[in-house]
Amino acid sequence: MVEQAGAQRAYRAPCPGCGAPVEFRSAQSTHAVCPYCQSTVVRRGETLARVGKMAELFDDFSPLQLFAAGRIQDQPFTVVGRLQYSHPGGRWTEWIVALDGDRTGILSEDNGAYVFALPFALQRAAPPPTDLRVGATSAFNGQSYTVSSNEQVALLSAQGELPHLPELGRPFPMVELRSENGLVLSLDYGTQPPGAYLGRSVQLEDLQLTGLRDESAKEEKGRAFNCPNCGAPVTVNFAQSKSITCRSCNSIIDLTHGIGGELRHAEQDEPVRPLIPLGSTGQLQGAQWQVVGFQHRMGVEPGDDEHFGWNEYLLYNKKRGFSFLVDAEDGWSMVKPTTGAPQMAENGHSATYLGTRYQQQYAYNAETTYVAGEFYWQVERGQKTFNRDFANGKALLSMERSANELTWSSGSKLDSGVISAAFKLDDKKDLFTRSDALPVSAASGLGCGTIILIVIVLIVLLIILSTCSSSGSSSGYRGSGGSYGGYSSGGGHK
């Protein structure tokens, strides 16, 4: 049966599995999941055919749900479907939205935030996924993009009506590319030809959403469980969390497969005590932030043997999402993952983002050595990346690269006094002071060999000066031995 409803047509037919009504609100939807018996059905004209049964949904505790409504660029839309995928780093959800009855879009998770994307017509065939290496550039429709991730994904479950439905559990490539001006291009190789979607970052509060999931319903269901290592109670506070640590034994617990089954965990020795306690709240950059995660990281420049360390605090604000407060030897900074991918010079000495050029300060290998709290990506002790840090005055830009992903972050330096005051820790403000506040800046990031060479040069210069002058002269040099931590922030694709 087909019903006329205003300017839109609603397609409704009985489920071939149980007879319950299955409705299609978008003309672009070809598949649906019966909300009563979970049968997967395909629309053939005005009748439905059963093609299988859908797996149970993984409860991601998202504020979104079917039939939530909102507006994007003054155009109304309705959430009509949900696809849940898995990849080596965990799981993520894509919400299918119907805009005007004839178009569908995707509202997907992106580094703790969201991207709203629409179908994109490629002017050339999508290249094989093996040709799109992470970090490489490729042009589509006259726009240059950088490959930010290339991973094998698989459909875990689905809900509602869908414009396409990959085979359940079958791995296929998903490639994500980003442009300098903030565009995100997704290539879905689960269909033939591959599907392409182009979007930008959005804030849920800007979408004027109504019909969101009831907060009280989420609380009643709860996300509490016992630590698989020591048995102590552990409570998950955020919908996006994919890892959490036990406050009793410091074990890292993997949440990517839910909390109902067997939980994977890894024990941690030698805990690092954060200067800013987990759970603290502070006012920074016009918003109230809560410290929800902490990680200690170590770095070393290629060819050097001098290691340096720094700390990163994961901050959360309900409206702004996640940001990172970075505590490095040379100062404090606050950064946030970018939606777009800055354009880096071929020699790596500079990068341009949103019209601003940044000069490279450091390039180094990084490793996570300790974590505490909750994280929106699957964090592990021993995770390794290659990082580049860039700066333009107080403005900062950083690149973090792993085997399958390239992540950029941008932000700015902050005064140590601002940090201690923000978290009401003025009684400990001396502990927040870093080398950027010293009269003579430390030679951050320099290895032992470089510092020794500089000292030798200075001694030679002093000898020359003392020989040429009747009065002796003295000079002081202050080095930090390479204790520098970059501006980089962790974070995964989805």
Side-chain angles (χ1 to χ4, degrees), residues 126-139:
T130 52
D131 291 351
L132 297 172
R133 295 176 294 101
V134 172
T137 58
S138 185

Side-chain angles (χ1 to χ4, degrees), residues 126-130 132 140 170 172-175 187-195:
T130 52
L132 297 172
F140 292 90
R170 178 181 64 85
F172 63 90
M174 183 85 78
V175 180
L187 300 179
D188 180 348
Y189 289 86
T191 61
Q192 288 299 326

Side-chain angles (χ1 to χ4, degrees), residues 463-480:
I463 294 174
I464 295 173
L465 288 173
S466 63
T467 304
C468 297
S469 173
S470 59
S471 60
S473 64
S474 63
S475 174
Y477 179 80
R478 190 168 197 160
S480 67

Side-chain angles (χ1 to χ4, degrees), residues 21-164:
V22 178
E23 183 174 339
F24 289 81
R25 297 179 176 229
S26 171
Q28 300 300 312
S29 297
T30 59
H31 294 75
V33 178
C34 174
Y36 298 94
C37 71
Q38 305 304 309
S39 290
T40 303
V41 299
V42 60
R43 191 174 73 193
R44 294 173 179 167
E46 296 183 10
T47 62
L48 301 179
R50 186 177 186 271
V51 293
K53 189 175 180 68
M54 184 52 61
E56 185 179 354
L57 284 167
F58 168 72
D59 196 343
D60 54 13
F61 287 78
S62 169
L64 297 171
Q65 63 179 352
L66 293 188
F67 312 125
R71 302 184 74 85
I72 180 80
Q73 295 180 349
D74 207 32
Q75 296 293 317
F77 67 84
T78 303
V79 177
V80 297
R82 170 163 59 164
L83 293 166
Q84 291 185 332
Y85 292 100
S86 68
H87 66 105
R91 305 184 181 199
W92 87 94
T93 297
E94 292 185 347
W95 296 90
I96 309 301
V97 301
L99 280 89
D100 48 23
D102 294 326
R103 292 189 304 159
T104 57
I106 294 178
L107 183 59
S108 62
E109 299 174 10
D110 180 65
N111 284 326
Y114 291 88
V115 165
F116 196 103
L118 296 174
F120 185 61
L122 298 177
Q123 295 175 353
R124 65 180 178 95
T130 52
D131 291 351
L132 297 172
R133 295 176 294 101
V134 172
T137 58
S138 185
F140 292 90
N141 297 19
Q143 172 70 56
S144 178
Y145 295 88
T146 300
V147 180
S148 58
S149 70
N150 185 335
E151 296 192 275
Q152 291 287 318
V153 306
L155 179 68
L156 290 176
S157 188
Q159 181 186 29
E161 57 183 277
L162 313 156
H164 72 283

Side-chain angles (χ1 to χ4, degrees), residues 397-467:
L397 188 67
S398 70
M399 182 206 78
E400 195 164 302
R401 181 174 178 173
S402 61
N404 297 318
E405 187 170 24
L406 181 70
T407 304
W408 287 87
S409 301
S410 64
S412 60
K413 297 179 182 179
L414 294 176
D415 183 76
S416 60
V418 172
I419 308 299
S420 58
F423 291 95
K424 298 180 175 58
L425 295 171
D426 288 322
D427 57 330
K428 299 181 179 179
K429 62 181 179 180
D430 290 343
L431 299 177
F432 286 79
T433 303
R434 299 295 176 259
S435 61
D436 60 336
L438 298 177
V440 179
S441 180
S444 300
L446 300 179
C448 287
T450 306
I451 293 176
I452 292 173
L453 179 60
I454 293 174
V455 172
I456 292 174
V457 171
L458 287 174
I459 292 174
V460 172
L461 288 175
L462 286 174
I463 294 174
I464 295 173
L465 288 173
S466 63
T467 304

Side-chain angles (χ1 to χ4, degrees), residues 45 91 95 109 128 149 193 204 214 222 238 240-243 288 335 348 350 378 398 403 405 412 426 431:
R91 305 184 181 199
W95 296 90
E109 299 174 10
S149 70
L204 290 186
D214 183 22
F238 298 96
Q240 300 95 328
S241 294
K242 294 181 173 63
S243 295
Q288 188 80 1
V335 299
S350 66
Q378 187 179 0
S398 70
E405 187 170 24
S412 60
D426 288 322
L431 299 177

